[in-house]
């Protein structure tokens, strides 16, 4: 058995010339070009897929190799999977050729052997180089260009893969950083097999989904919770990046923005133990990317104001003029092509690589003293209780029951409320679900109210475009909307503050 450790990137066909120019700067030990034909197998009910197993037969140079890949781990494009290879005669796989311990417990190899059939194929040209890195590591760099085929349909393959053959995982990131310096590379979270399964099933793509709680348990340490949260946010980010590249769904970008918020909040939540200087460059780049996506809030507001033929604005005499101006403003915001260019930029790819590398190498460890290391090894529950108590105190301070808050007061505290709610995702599973839900729901309602209030800002910014009766009518309309929302939020705020915390 071998453990395959590799980084996968999606590139354009034109990237090959850029890659060749980069290769000339590297120390090449071997190079080759091959035509590879691969057939993937599974049962009609896809029992292998259900167990996260991949089974293929690869043909090259009159040789057939049967490969079994079992469940592994993916962190920001770094794929780690156990792999079993055996040379065979013919094109049909024989499962018994792999060791018994390669299969999951209670897996009926004989029954599966009787049911497996070809499901899809991948055919591509692989240009391959064995690169010697300065630290002595050896990396196989491959450029694959071809197609996935299933049920008479096809999908293009254009990928760069970096596989660690010997040495340190860190060398993979070093070479990847050099290759992405000119842009044109995007980390790939889907393997060729995953794409083949999708094509075979005529799968139309994943749904956009909200951030879920981190799978923290009372057996976790503070450090393992920190790592789980970072990986959780990265997984959510790349999941929605894939959606956006497939169909440019703006809600996928919103979820990427949520991932960035969780990452930044995680650095803050654990910042009392892990020094800020340990993550300074990462936080700087995350802030940059959040800025690149900051237009999403305005776009969402304009969508809400203009949907259903100006239903929201229907009572205003100037609604057509307002809608025209709002739509003109929307056209000035970044579009799908702008975002795809961002996702293929050197800076974007470099951020994902650096963050992944930092997590996998435990990049915070050199910045810790013995006291901090001991705290990170401590149980997470007492740490979570303390964090949530501080968060609660902060909310009480900025949303006091006895104070009348204005529109500006609420909007100014929006990001603070978001951060405090985001903080709870790391620890939510440590507490009783119903108590947690009862406590957090009103705060989410308050956040929704602030977002509804913020959604009126594009109208407020257009006030200077109007005069006379139209201006007076719009101002009165805004005032009514503000008063209604603020009244509801005041009630929600007072109710939220009276609730008992769900932590000790």
């Amino acid at each position: 058995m071998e453990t395959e450790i590799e980084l996968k990137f999606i590139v354009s066909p034109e990237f090959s010339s850029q890659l060749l120019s980069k290769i000339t700067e590297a120390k090449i030990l071997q190079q080759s070009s091959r035509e590879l034909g691969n057939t993937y197998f599974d049962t009609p009910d896809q029992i292998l897929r259900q167990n996260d197993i991949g089974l293929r037969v690869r043909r090259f140079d009159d040789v057939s190799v049967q490969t079994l890949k079992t469940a592994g781990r993916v962190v920001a494009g770094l794929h780690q999977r156990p792999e079993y290879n055996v040379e065979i005669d013919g094109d049909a796989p024989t499962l018994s050729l792999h060791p018994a311990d390669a299969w999951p417990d209670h897996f009926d190899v004989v029954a599966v052997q009787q049911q497996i059939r070809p499901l899809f194929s991948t055919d591509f040209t692989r240009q391959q180089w064995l690169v010697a890195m300065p630290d002595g590591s050896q990396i196989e760099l491959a450029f694959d260009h071809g197609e996935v085929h299933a049920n008479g349909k096809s999908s293009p393959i254009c990928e760069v893969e970096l596989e660690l053959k010997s040495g340190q995982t860190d060398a993979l990131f070093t070479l990847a950083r050099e290759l992405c310096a000119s842009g044109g590379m995007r980390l790939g979270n889907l393997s060729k097999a995953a794409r083949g399964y999708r094509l075979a099933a005529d799968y139309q793509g994943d749904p956009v989904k909200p951030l879920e709680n981190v799978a923290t348990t009372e057996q976790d340490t503070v450090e393992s919770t920190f790592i789980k949260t970072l990986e959780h946010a990265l997984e959510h980010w790349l999941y929605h990046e894939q959606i956006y590249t497939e169909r440019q769904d703006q809600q996928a970008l919103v979820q990427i923005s949520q991932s960035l918020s969780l990452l930044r909040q995680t650095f803050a939540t654990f910042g009392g133990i892990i020094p800020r200087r340990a993550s300074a460059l990462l936080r700087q780049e995350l802030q940059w990317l959040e800025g690149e996506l900051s237009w999403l809030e305005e776009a969402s507001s304009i969508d809400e104001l203009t949907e259903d033929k100006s239903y929201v604005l229907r009572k205003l005499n100037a609604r057509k003029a307002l809608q025209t101006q709002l739509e003109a403003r929307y056209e000035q915001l970044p579009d799908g092509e702008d975002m795809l260019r961002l996702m293929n930029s050197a800076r974007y790819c470099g951020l994902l690589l650096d963050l992944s590398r930092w997590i996998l190498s435990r990049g915070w460890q050199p910045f810790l003293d013995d006291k901090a290391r001991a705290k990170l090894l401590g149980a997470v529950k007492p740490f979570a209780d303390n964090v949530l108590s501080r968060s609660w105190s902060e909310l009480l301070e900025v949303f006091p029951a006895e104070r009348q808050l204005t529109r500006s007061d609420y909007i100014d505290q929006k990001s603070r409320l978001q951060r405090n709610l985001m903080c709870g995702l790391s620890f939510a599973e440590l507490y009783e679900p119903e108590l947690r839900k009862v406590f957090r729901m009103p705060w989410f309602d308050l956040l929704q109210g602030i977002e509804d209030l913020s959604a009126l800002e594009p109208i407020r910014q257009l006030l200077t475009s109007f005069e006379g009766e139209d201006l007076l009518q719009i101002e009165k309309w805004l005032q009514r909307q503000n008063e209604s929302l603020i009244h509801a939020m005041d009630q929600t705020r007072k109710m939220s503050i009276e609730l008992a915390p769900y932590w000790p």
Side-chain angles (χ1 to χ4, degrees):
M1 182 198 75
E2 301 175 359
T3 298
E4 182 183 58
I5 302 175
E6 62 183 8
L7 285 167
K8 298 175 183 287
F9 298 89
I10 306 300
V11 299
S12 67
E14 297 74 30
F15 186 80
S16 59
S17 59
Q18 184 175 321
L19 180 62
L20 290 173
S21 67
K22 290 284 186 182
I23 287 296
T24 59
E25 303 168 9
K27 182 179 179 181
I28 305 301
L29 302 178
Q30 298 174 14
Q31 65 181 71
S32 62
S33 180
R34 280 176 168 170
E35 299 294 326
L36 300 179
N38 308 270
T39 302
Y40 288 77
F41 296 82
D42 209 334
T43 64
D45 58 354
Q46 297 189 5
I47 190 67
L48 297 180
R49 182 68 166 168
Q50 292 175 37
N51 284 275
D52 201 12
I53 294 172
L55 177 67
R56 75 166 185 235
V57 172
R58 168 168 289 175
R59 301 170 301 283
F60 60 93
D61 300 340
D62 298 323
V63 175
S64 292
V65 174
Q66 176 179 312
T67 298
L68 177 74
K69 293 187 180 184
T70 57
R73 182 170 178 242
V74 180
V75 180
L78 184 76
H79 299 245
Q80 298 171 291
R81 296 190 74 178
E83 178 177 294
Y84 302 83
N85 294 293
V86 60
E87 193 169 320
I88 62 173
D89 295 323
D91 297 325
T94 303
L95 304 190
S96 60
L97 294 176
H98 297 300
D101 60 5
W103 304 98
D105 293 339
H106 311 299
F107 192 85
D108 192 338
V109 176
V110 174
V112 172
Q113 175 72 62
Q114 295 171 350
Q115 298 178 61
I116 56 172
R117 59 182 175 83
L119 191 62
F120 58 89
S121 64
T122 64
D123 298 288
F124 53 89
T125 301
R126 167 165 287 182
Q127 292 176 271
Q128 194 167 284
W129 301 266
L130 185 62
V131 181
M133 299 297 290
D135 70 348
S137 300
Q138 293 186 7
I139 297 173
E140 185 177 270
L141 189 163
F143 175 64
D144 296 338
H145 190 197
E147 291 184 324
V148 183
H149 302 278
N151 299 331
K153 303 184 294 288
S154 64
S155 176
I157 293 171
C158 200
E159 301 175 351
V160 168
E161 293 184 0
L162 306 180
E163 181 178 351
L164 184 67
K165 305 307 287 186
S166 66
Q168 303 301 313
T169 303
D170 199 59
L172 277 177
F173 290 96
T174 298
L175 181 56
R177 247 337 204 135
E178 293 171 0
L179 293 176
C180 81
S182 300
M185 297 173 64
R186 181 174 62 80
L187 275 164
N189 217 33
L190 289 181
S191 66
K192 294 183 184 70
R195 292 169 61 194
Y197 272 103
R198 287 182 170 215
L199 191 64
D202 196 25
Y203 188 67
Q204 298 304 305
D206 292 322
V208 172
K209 60 184 182 182
L211 260 175
E212 298 177 348
N213 298 329
V214 179
T216 306
T217 70
E218 292 204 26
Q219 286 68 51
D220 275 307
T221 64
V222 175
E223 184 172 41
S224 66
T225 303
F226 177 64
I227 294 168
K228 277 186 175 182
T229 305
L230 294 176
E231 291 185 354
H232 181 75
L234 269 175
E235 181 182 359
H236 192 74
W237 177 351
L238 288 173
Y239 173 89
H240 287 94
E241 180 189 292
Q242 180 66 33
I243 292 173
Y244 191 78
T245 59
E246 290 172 350
R247 60 179 189 267
Q248 283 78 70
D249 186 333
Q250 189 170 291
Q251 290 307 307
L253 289 181
V254 171
Q255 291 304 316
I256 291 175
S257 183
Q258 290 284 297
S259 299
L260 301 178
S261 295
L262 178 56
L263 287 166
R264 293 189 67 197
Q265 180 56 42
T266 302
F267 287 128
T269 299
F270 294 82
I273 302 176
I274 298 172
R276 288 176 61 83
R277 65 182 184 278
S279 59
L281 292 177
L282 290 172
R283 287 185 290 103
Q284 175 182 304
E285 290 302 280
L286 288 169
Q287 186 175 11
W288 157 76
L289 187 52
E290 275 196 323
E292 294 294 307
L293 299 179
S294 61
W295 61 274
L296 288 167
E297 186 172 346
E298 183 179 3
S300 178
S301 297
I302 295 175
D303 279 337
E304 185 176 336
L305 290 167
T306 58
E307 69 178 354
D308 195 21
K309 298 181 180 179
S310 295
Y311 178 79
V312 177
L313 308 174
R314 68 192 185 283
K315 293 182 180 180
L316 297 176
N317 296 332
R319 67 184 183 280
K320 290 184 178 179
L322 277 171
Q323 182 161 3
T324 297
Q325 292 193 49
L326 288 170
E327 290 173 348
R329 172 57 187 158
Y330 195 92
E331 289 299 315
Q332 296 173 13
L333 298 176
D335 60 17
E337 289 302 314
D338 294 324
M339 290 298 99
L340 290 175
R341 278 193 294 272
L342 175 67
M343 291 176 179
N344 283 277
S345 69
R347 191 170 182 180
Y348 180 96
C349 185
L351 169 56
L352 278 168
L353 287 171
D354 290 346
L355 186 54
S356 176
R357 178 188 227 165
W358 194 79
I359 296 170
L360 291 165
S361 68
R362 307 294 189 263
W364 54 90
Q365 283 288 338
F367 296 86
L368 305 178
D369 56 25
D370 290 342
K371 185 178 179 181
R373 288 192 177 90
K375 287 182 178 179
L376 284 178
L377 292 174
V380 70
K381 183 64 164 52
F383 177 80
D385 292 343
N386 187 43
V387 167
L388 293 172
S389 293
R390 291 201 311 269
S391 173
W392 172 234
S393 297
E394 185 178 357
L395 289 179
L396 289 178
E397 182 179 336
V398 298
F399 293 113
E402 67 279 2
R403 181 180 162 201
Q404 181 63 44
L405 299 182
T406 66
R407 175 182 64 86
S408 296
D409 291 331
Y410 276 117
I411 290 177
D412 288 346
Q413 297 304 328
K414 177 182 175 182
S415 61
R416 189 188 298 266
L417 178 55
Q418 286 175 320
R419 290 197 305 270
N420 278 277
L421 289 170
M422 191 72 72
C423 164
L425 294 179
S426 296
F427 314 116
E429 295 302 312
L430 298 172
Y431 303 97
E432 203 281 314
E434 190 58 33
L435 291 177
R436 185 185 71 230
K437 179 180 178 182
V438 168
F439 182 87
R440 285 171 63 86
M441 191 59 68
W443 289 107
F444 277 111
D445 289 343
L446 183 60
L447 178 60
Q448 182 61 58
I450 299 176
E451 289 176 346
D452 291 342
L453 203 59
S454 300
L456 299 173
E457 290 304 295
I459 298 291
R460 194 174 300 279
Q461 292 168 9
L462 293 176
L463 286 176
T464 55
S465 302
F466 297 89
E467 56 186 20
E469 288 299 320
D470 284 345
L471 176 59
L472 288 174
Q473 188 188 35
I474 296 170
E475 288 178 331
K476 288 181 179 179
W477 179 83
L478 281 173
Q479 183 64 27
R480 288 195 301 272
Q481 298 293 318
N482 285 337
E483 290 174 353
S484 175
L485 287 168
I486 289 173
H487 176 74
M489 286 191 292
D490 285 342
Q491 300 305 309
T492 302
R493 171 167 57 98
K494 291 173 183 177
M495 180 178 66
S496 301
I497 290 170
E498 293 172 357
L499 291 171
Y502 58 87
W503 61 93

